[in-house]
Amino acid sequence: MPDVFDRLIGQARAVSLLRQYVRRPVHAYLVTGPDGTDLHEAALVIAAALQCPDYGCGVCEVCRLVLTGADADVTFVERAGLSWRVDELREAERVSRRRPLGPGYQIVAIEDVELAAGPTPSAPALLKSLEEPPPRSVFVLTAHETSPALATVVSRCLEIRLQGLTEEDVAAIVAADGVDDAVARTAAAAANGDVHRARILARDDALVQRAAQWRRVPDRLDGTPAAATRVIDEIVRSLDAAAAPLAAAQVEETRRRETTARELGVRVAARRELDATFKREQRRFRTEELRFGVRVLIEVYRDRLRDALAEPEDARSSARARAALHALDTLEESHRRLATSLDEGLLLADLMLTLGND
Ligand SMILES: [Zn+2]
C-alpha cells in the first residue's frame, strides 16, 4: 500500500528500516546522506510517520498537516547564521519540553547538525537535550557529514543512512513534483545526482535549449580560432543566464535569514561567510553546468563514432572514427579537469580549439 515513505525515492533500504523504526519510536533520529540527498524531505516523512495513527499513511489529515509544515507539534528549528548558535539550540530544547497539543509527539527537527561542530562548537548544548528528553518528545536531526566532533551526538541517535541517488532516481523525484518527464530527465542528467540542483534546473525553461546549444557545438567548429571564440562567448553568456535562478534563490535565502534574525532579535551572523558560501555555490553551479555540456558533447561524439564504425571500412570512415575517438579522449580529459580546480575560460579554450581540429 502506498504510504508517506514512497516520497523517499531511491532509498528502499532506509525506507524498510524506517517503516519498522516508527512503530517503536526512539527519542532521537539522525538522518545522514551524501550531498544531493534530500535530508529535509526525509525528516518531514519521519515526522509525519511518527504523528500519523497509521504510521505514515500519507493521506490522512495528520500526515497532510505535517507534510505542509502546519502541524503545531512539529518544529523545524531556524538558524540565522551559517553555523548553529548555542542560543538557537537552547531554543530547540525549550520547544522539546513543551507538551504536545495533539495526541502525537512534540517533534523538533534540527537540520545540518554538522554545523554545530566547528571552531566554536554549539553541539554540547544539543547533547543536554538528547540526554534527558521528555517522554513524548522526539528529535529528528539531519547531517550530510558527521565529523568525529559529533560522535557523542551521533551515539545518542538512531542513525538512518540515505544513499547517493542515481540519475534515474533524481529524474523520478523531479517528475514527482509534477514536472514533465522529458524535462525531469534532462534536469537530472545536468544535476549529477543532486536533487536540489535538479529542481532548480527543472524550473529553468532554458535547460533544454542549453542542451541543444551544446549539441550544435561540433558542427559550428571549423578549426579556426574565430569559430572557437564565437562558440565560447555564447557558452559563457548562457552560463551566466543559467546561474540567474540560483542567484535569485540566494537573494531569497538572505532575506529569509534576515527575517529569522529579526524575529529572534539577533544580528544576521557571518554575513561575509554567507556571501562566500554563495560565491562557492555559484562556482560549483557553473562547474556542474560545464560538466553537463561536456557530457552532452560526449554523447554527440559517441554517436559519431558509432555511425563511423557502422559504415563499410574505408579511408574516410576510418578517419572519422579516429577523429571521434580523439574528441572523446579530449572530452574525458576535460571531464576529469572539472573535478579539480578549474579556470573556466582556459578549459573552454582548450576544449574548443582541440575539438575544432577533429
Ligand atoms: Zn497518516
Side-chain angles (χ1 to χ4, degrees):
M1 230 169 47
D3 63 13
V4 76
F5 293 105
D6 293 335
R7 296 164 72 105
L8 303 181
I9 294 167
Q11 303 295 346
R13 203 170 44 91
V15 161
S16 85
L17 288 173
L18 275 172
R19 285 204 177 103
Q20 302 163 36
Y21 289 165
V22 295
R23 282 166 193 267
R24 281 182 298 278
V26 294
H27 64 272
Y29 297 85
L30 170 65
V31 192
T32 57
D35 277 347
T37 45
D38 196 345
L39 302 180
H40 176 76
E41 182 75 8
L44 262 185
V45 163
I46 292 172
L50 289 170
Q51 298 297 59
C52 169
D54 293 320
Y55 307 107
C57 67
V59 291
C60 73
E61 178 72 6
V62 177
C63 282
R64 213 179 50 78
L65 282 175
V66 176
L67 294 173
T68 54
D71 184 319
D73 292 332
V74 177
T75 307
F76 279 77
V77 185
E78 292 274 1
R79 186 177 76 237
L82 274 188
S83 50
W84 282 109
R85 298 151 46 115
V86 170
D87 56 341
E88 288 163 345
L89 295 177
R90 291 224 176 95
E91 172 61 18
E93 196 203 350
R94 262 193 300 280
V95 174
S96 78
R97 300 210 172 271
R98 280 189 215 144
R99 267 176 68 88
L101 300 170
Y105 297 92
Q106 184 66 254
I107 297 175
V108 181
I110 307 175
E111 299 181 271
D112 309 321
V113 284
E114 67 263 42
L115 303 177
T120 49
S122 50
L126 184 59
L127 273 182
K128 194 161 159 278
S129 359
L130 294 177
E131 252 158 32
E132 31 190 91
R136 281 174 65 199
S137 293
V138 177
F139 282 92
V140 181
L141 313 180
T142 72
H144 278 297
E145 58 210 68
T146 53
S147 60
L150 285 172
T152 343
V153 169
V154 175
S155 72
R156 298 214 155 87
C157 302
L158 179 58
E159 187 176 351
I160 298 119
R161 282 175 210 262
L162 303 187
Q163 50 193 28
L165 297 169
T166 64
E167 204 172 296
E168 294 88 82
D169 294 333
V170 175
I173 291 169
V174 174
D177 293 345
V179 171
D180 176 75
D181 272 348
V183 174
R185 270 200 306 278
T186 311
N192 203 28
D194 186 325
V195 174
H196 177 64
R197 180 172 146 77
R199 286 197 162 120
I200 289 180
L201 289 173
R203 273 186 275 132
D204 175 1
D205 296 332
L207 176 67
V208 177
Q209 272 116 293
R210 288 206 300 283
Q213 185 190 31
W214 281 101
R215 215 165 276 131
R216 281 195 306 272
V217 163
D219 290 331
R220 301 186 48 215
L221 294 170
D222 56 13
T224 64
T229 306
R230 254 196 317 276
V231 169
I232 292 168
D233 284 349
E234 246 181 62
I235 288 174
V236 169
R237 265 201 306 279
S238 84
L239 280 175
D240 293 343
L246 174 63
Q250 290 177 338
V251 170
E252 181 72 13
E253 171 71 7
T254 307
R255 222 173 272 144
R256 193 187 63 77
R257 279 171 196 263
E258 280 165 359
T259 310
T260 305
R262 223 172 12 251
E263 282 164 10
L264 293 171
V266 298
R267 288 218 330 266
V268 179
R271 186 57 196 268
R272 204 180 305 151
E273 247 180 277
L274 187 62
D275 287 342
T277 304
F278 284 169
K279 276 216 191 72
R280 251 195 325 274
E281 268 181 28
Q282 290 269 1
R283 209 163 38 235
R284 201 164 55 212
F285 187 95
R286 294 178 82 94
T287 304
E288 287 300 330
E289 193 65 31
L290 282 173
R291 212 193 296 271
F292 168 61
V294 168
R295 281 164 61 194
V296 170
L297 285 174
I298 287 176
E299 275 173 44
V300 172
Y301 283 101
R302 278 199 187 131
D303 287 348
R304 287 189 173 193
L305 179 62
R306 225 186 347 260
D307 292 348
L309 293 177
E311 281 169 31
E313 201 180 326
D314 59 19
R316 251 188 77 226
S317 68
S318 310
R320 279 168 50 199
R322 262 199 313 279
L325 273 172
H326 185 244
L328 283 168
D329 279 346
T330 307
L331 288 161
E332 301 285 357
E333 173 62 22
S334 301
H335 205 262
R336 266 194 302 279
R337 275 172 68 189
L338 281 166
T340 60
S341 70
L342 147 95
D343 181 299
E344 183 184 297
L346 200 61
L347 180 116
L348 282 172
D350 280 359
L351 187 59
M352 295 312 161
L353 285 171
T354 314
L355 291 182
N357 289 323
D358 283 331

